[in-house]
Amino acid sequence: MSFNFLASFSQVVGKAWPIIVAILFFGLIILIHEFGHFIFAKLFKVKVNEFALGMGPTIFKKQGKVTKYALRLFPIGGFVSMEGEDENSDDEGAFCNKKLWQKMIIVAAGATFNIILGVIICILIVAGVGVKEKEDIYVGTNEILQFYQGAVSNGEGGLQAGDKILKIDSKRVYSSYDISFLMQRNSSGVYSFVVERGGEKLELPEVHFAMRTGGNFSYDENCVISSVSSKLKRFKLKDGDKIIAVNGVKIDSNTSLMEEIGKDTDYTIDFTVLRDGEEITINGVTMATVTVLDFTILGVPRTFTSVVGGAFGYAASMSRMVYLSLFDLIRGKYGFNELAGPIGTVSVIADVAEQSVQSADWSSMLMIMALITINIGLFNLLPIPALDGGRLFFMFVELITRKKIPPKYENWIHAAGLVLLLIFMAVISASDLWKWISGIGFM
């Protein structure tokens, strides 16, 4: 009885700890964000009534000389409540009575602290912290080292070894991370490059790359699917399916699986899988297309300069990726199901945490942490009512016009923005829950 209880408890803990890690990470992001507001409010002698982590009912509180510090039940947010923040106040320490530049710094500090945290994590990534293979002591650059055998992009009018890639499809390359990301945005297999070759800038308007079937799912060394997209789940593929044949060809290793998928030319595959001891054939599975990156990049030894420079390059790449992804979403490149709210993000972090423990390699976990905290920081700076960026927008208007917008009108706009934002988050969270339960999104 005792043994069974301990075994059951161990299983529960085994499943719960990645989610706990994800929630704690979210809590850290929120804490850093609100601390940015708090520390500059204190620096400019603004009266802070409450500093809260979480939302909903208070489960712990401590009253300081001026500020009440609280921990609330739901770990989905936090706030710094300042005197005179949303209404007029005669208090000398009220937010509304401070100079405009001071208020702008206080409002922008939260997002800025998130971005700084992202840069610090990028430094850890480039420095190799958490990497399993310690012999990898190089920092990636934007210079092409060599091409794989049969490379397509090395043809006439194409790339050459020693080229430093400056732009891809008119977008600047800040780091090696940009090369794969920018090429993922274009599914045609033809890209425009700007490179530095022999000390001169050279435009290459049509660089061709081979395309192959791929993407949409991942699998382990035994060809067992470990993660499949909601799109492929519509074709009835499931996590845990063992792939035993592709287009009628038997599979005996993950290498042969990759080769058979790569041979496909119409991006539609017939899979035969082993599920619960039964062979199941799933015909006409529409796959994604991926560009074959047929070259390697030059790495330089890790030094203080290369690590810091590489980290800022990574942070710039991630920052730009946030806005490019938002633009891609608006123009319809990504569907509704590609969006993830707090629940979906926690699920992703939990999955990555579990994989990191199994592989003893924490680089992926650090990467997603950096991406999320930079994403949250930049999203908060968008000029959307109820966000920090929305408040900054009104302050910029005041700075330019020299006229203060009446607080009641500004509050109405922020309230309306907050309602719309909450409705949007509710829909996204419902979609996250449905994907979590069924594996398939709303649309």
Side-chain angles (χ1 to χ4, degrees), residues 98-202:
K98 296 300 177 179
K99 295 178 180 179
L100 182 60
W101 66 269
Q102 293 176 326
K103 291 190 288 187
M104 293 177 76
I105 290 175
I106 293 170
V107 171
T112 303
F113 270 44
N114 281 140
I115 295 171
I116 291 172
L117 174 62
V119 172
I120 292 172
I121 297 175
C122 285
I123 291 175
L124 298 178
I125 294 170
V126 179
V129 174
V131 177
K132 182 180 180 181
E133 303 297 335
K134 294 299 182 183
E135 64 268 19
D136 181 13
I137 57 172
Y138 295 98
V139 177
T141 67
N142 63 338
E143 183 176 339
I144 297 174
L145 176 63
Q146 62 185 10
F147 291 85
Y148 294 114
Q149 185 176 0
V152 175
S153 66
N154 190 217
E156 185 178 351
L159 301 168
Q160 294 182 12
D163 284 350
K164 293 181 179 179
I165 303 173
L166 305 180
K167 291 183 179 180
I168 298 176
D169 287 343
S170 75
K171 300 294 188 297
R172 182 178 170 184
V173 171
Y174 295 105
S175 71
S176 57
Y177 186 70
D178 274 329
I179 297 173
S180 57
F181 171 70
L182 292 175
M183 292 181 69
Q184 285 175 1
R185 299 182 72 238
N186 180 346
S187 58
S188 69
V190 182
Y191 305 82
S192 66
F193 279 77
V194 176
V195 301
E196 181 182 322
R197 182 183 297 170
E200 296 182 358
K201 282 187 180 180
L202 183 63

Side-chain angles (χ1 to χ4, degrees), residues 339-398:
L339 292 175
I343 296 172
T345 306
V346 165
S347 178
V348 170
I349 297 172
D351 288 344
V352 174
E354 192 169 14
Q355 292 169 13
S356 296
V357 169
Q358 292 173 354
S359 65
D361 188 329
W362 290 87
S363 56
S364 296
M365 184 65 179
L366 289 173
M367 180 69 76
I368 198 168
M369 288 170 65
L371 181 59
I372 290 173
T373 188
I374 289 174
N375 193 316
I376 289 176
L378 291 176
F379 183 77
N380 264 281
L381 291 177
L382 293 175
I384 298 174
L387 297 181
D388 293 337
R391 295 182 180 277
L392 282 172
F393 175 78
F394 284 102
M395 292 179 182
F396 275 116
V397 171
E398 181 183 345

Side-chain angles (χ1 to χ4, degrees), residues 315-328:
S317 297
M318 292 181 185
S319 300
R320 199 253 308 275
M321 187 174 73
V322 172
Y323 290 113
L324 288 179
S325 298
L326 181 62
F327 175 73
D328 288 341

